[in-house]
Amino acid sequence: MTARTLAILLFDGVEELDAVGPWEVLSYWTQNHPDDGWRVVTASVGGGAITAAKGMVITPTTALEDLERVDVLLHPGGRGTRALFKDAAHLERVRRIAGTAELMTSVCTGSLVYAAAGLLRDRPAITHWGSVDLLREIDPSIDVREGERWVDDGDVVTSAGVSAGIDMALHLVGHLVSPQRARDVQHGIEYDPAPPVWDDEGDAR
């Protein structure tokens, strides 16, 4: 059986955790449960290494154009999306993938690219809290679901900023396989957020 492909798009200025957080979830899943029939890859246009928003240099698995088929695309956000949502060639690239993909997913400001490509027209969606006005500006028809960690609208799933991509990736595992598989992955990566909360005196509690 040929594994279906879930591709995480990499580009200069990508927010590190937008890509690496979902990668941790999805690679743990696919490597530990190969019989589920999925593989996850990272891909950049041209296949070259990229420099992420805070300076991390990442070499992708492959060139995006060398993938015979992308069944699920995950488009992260980050400063680099400010150029991409105005890049006609990139928007056409995204539309072309959407034409054959099972699912189009995004983290953070990746949804700005989807909005500019017309993929979110008359749909519910979310982005980073700091970019919700821009999302509405790009496409006023979008039902922006402020405060939600991710929004599943069937063949398009968007998520809020940065760490929300981890939650969305776990949701994808549940969607593509089963809720139990998602729980297994969550347990495997020991993802159980309990950050410290500081009181007014600066003490953790």
Side-chain angles (χ1 to χ4, degrees):
M1 179 180 67
T2 302
R4 289 184 285 175
T5 299
L6 196 158
I8 299 175
L9 182 64
L10 298 179
F11 49 88
D12 286 332
V14 66
E15 183 65 34
E16 283 85 346
L17 194 61
D18 282 15
V20 177
W23 168 265
E24 179 67 33
V25 171
L26 299 169
S27 62
Y28 183 94
W29 160 45
T30 56
Q31 291 177 25
N32 285 279
H33 302 281
D35 290 344
D36 287 344
W38 285 88
R39 66 169 183 151
V40 58
V41 300
T42 54
S44 68
V45 176
I50 63 91
T51 301
K54 296 180 178 68
M56 179 184 285
V57 177
I58 308 174
T59 301
T61 312
T62 185
L64 183 64
E65 53 270 33
D66 288 346
L67 291 172
E68 185 175 338
R69 177 180 172 83
V70 175
D71 297 284
V72 177
L73 180 70
L74 190 150
H75 197 307
R79 291 196 304 268
T81 56
R82 296 307 195 272
L84 292 178
F85 79 73
K86 299 174 183 177
D87 183 332
H90 186 69
L91 298 181
E92 181 55 35
R93 185 181 297 121
V94 167
R95 292 187 197 101
R96 187 167 59 250
I97 294 171
T100 57
E102 177 179 340
L103 279 172
M104 298 291 286
T105 74
S106 68
V107 182
C108 195
T109 56
S111 60
L112 302 181
V113 175
Y114 286 0
L119 302 185
L120 302 182
R121 188 166 296 121
D122 296 318
R123 289 179 179 266
I126 191 56
T127 189
H128 186 280
W129 61 264
S131 295
V132 293
D133 289 342
L134 181 54
L135 184 61
R136 290 188 177 104
E137 180 182 324
I138 293 171
D139 185 345
S141 77
I142 297 170
D143 175 13
V144 180
R145 300 287 180 84
E146 291 189 64
E148 297 191 22
R149 293 287 279 176
W150 76 87
V151 176
D152 187 332
D153 192 44
D155 59 347
V156 176
V157 182
T158 57
S159 65
V162 196
S163 64
I166 298 173
D167 297 356
M168 189 268 286
L170 286 166
H171 171 72
L172 288 181
V173 176
H175 175 92
L176 295 170
V177 186
S178 70
Q180 184 56 53
R181 179 71 81 237
R183 286 191 288 270
D184 291 343
V185 172
Q186 180 179 0
H187 178 70
I189 66 172
E190 203 166 5
Y191 179 60
D192 187 17
V197 178
W198 283 268
D199 60 26
D200 292 339
E201 283 70 45
D203 296 320
R205 55 184 171 87

